[in-house]
Amino acid sequence: MRWRGWMVPVVAAAALVISPAAATAATTTSSDSVSGLEYAATSAQGRFVGIASGALPGAWSVTVDHTPLGTSAAITGGDFHLATGLDGTLTAVTGHFTAGTVRQLSGFTGCVNQRYAVHGVLDEVGPGAVHRGTGTFDATLTHYRTTIFGQCLTYSASVRGSLSLTPS
């Protein structure tokens, strides 16, 4: 029973020493520039790959599920993956799209390039097995289009923007 008298202050002091470091690690937000390409698309899904540079440099890939694409669409799901280095170790940071929008910015008429603003909200972001972090993926998607034999065709697509992650 007497141990409680000295143990409570020791445990409280240890919690104060440990908590700030744990809280800082859990709330560190990393920002990166991202660039890449769309390698597959349907009216309700886009798949992208590219390179991130900044606080968490590496290769990334995303699958964005959305309502049928018109001049705007709502992001309904999808996955995020980033291969990067954490503490000198190659690490996969993953997450899930939970919300967001895809909004057309230009290219409304004619067979011209189309630009879209993509804003995705990420949840369950983190390395390893535990994912409690959050993040955002903001980019401009450009569909490159041309007329071939009287048909307007999208022949390529690029994406460029930013990634902000608070993994845990």
Side-chain angles (χ1 to χ4, degrees):
M1 292 284 208
R2 292 184 183 251
W3 65 270
R4 284 191 205 172
W6 63 268
M7 192 61 141
V8 170
V10 169
V11 170
L16 288 175
V17 170
I18 294 169
S19 292
T24 301
T27 60
T28 300
T29 299
S30 301
S31 297
D32 284 270
S33 295
V34 293
S35 61
L37 56 92
E38 184 176 37
Y39 67 89
T42 68
S43 64
Q45 185 182 77
R47 293 177 181 247
F48 305 86
V49 294
I51 299 295
S53 59
L56 294 173
W60 59 267
S61 69
V62 299
T63 298
V64 179
D65 298 325
H66 52 77
T67 57
L69 187 59
T71 57
S72 66
I75 294 175
T76 58
D79 304 293
F80 165 81
H81 303 272
L82 172 66
T84 189
L86 289 176
D87 300 323
T89 302
L90 182 60
T91 304
V93 177
T94 62
H96 300 285
F97 284 98
T98 58
T101 57
V102 179
R103 186 174 46 86
Q104 190 170 357
L105 301 172
S106 66
F108 295 97
T109 60
C111 190
V112 297
N113 294 345
Q114 296 173 319
R115 289 179 50 242
Y116 294 86
V118 178
H119 171 71
V121 177
L122 295 163
D123 200 7
E124 299 178 357
V125 174
V130 179
H131 303 106
R132 290 187 295 255
T134 59
T136 57
F137 182 88
D138 290 292
T140 300
L141 165 64
T142 304
H143 287 166
Y144 300 100
R145 301 172 3 133
T146 192
T147 303
I148 298 178
F149 301 118
Q151 298 272 332
C152 184
L153 299 174
T154 301
Y155 62 89
S156 182
S158 68
V159 63
R160 183 173 300 275
S162 63
L163 173 65
S164 178
L165 299 177
T166 306
S168 102

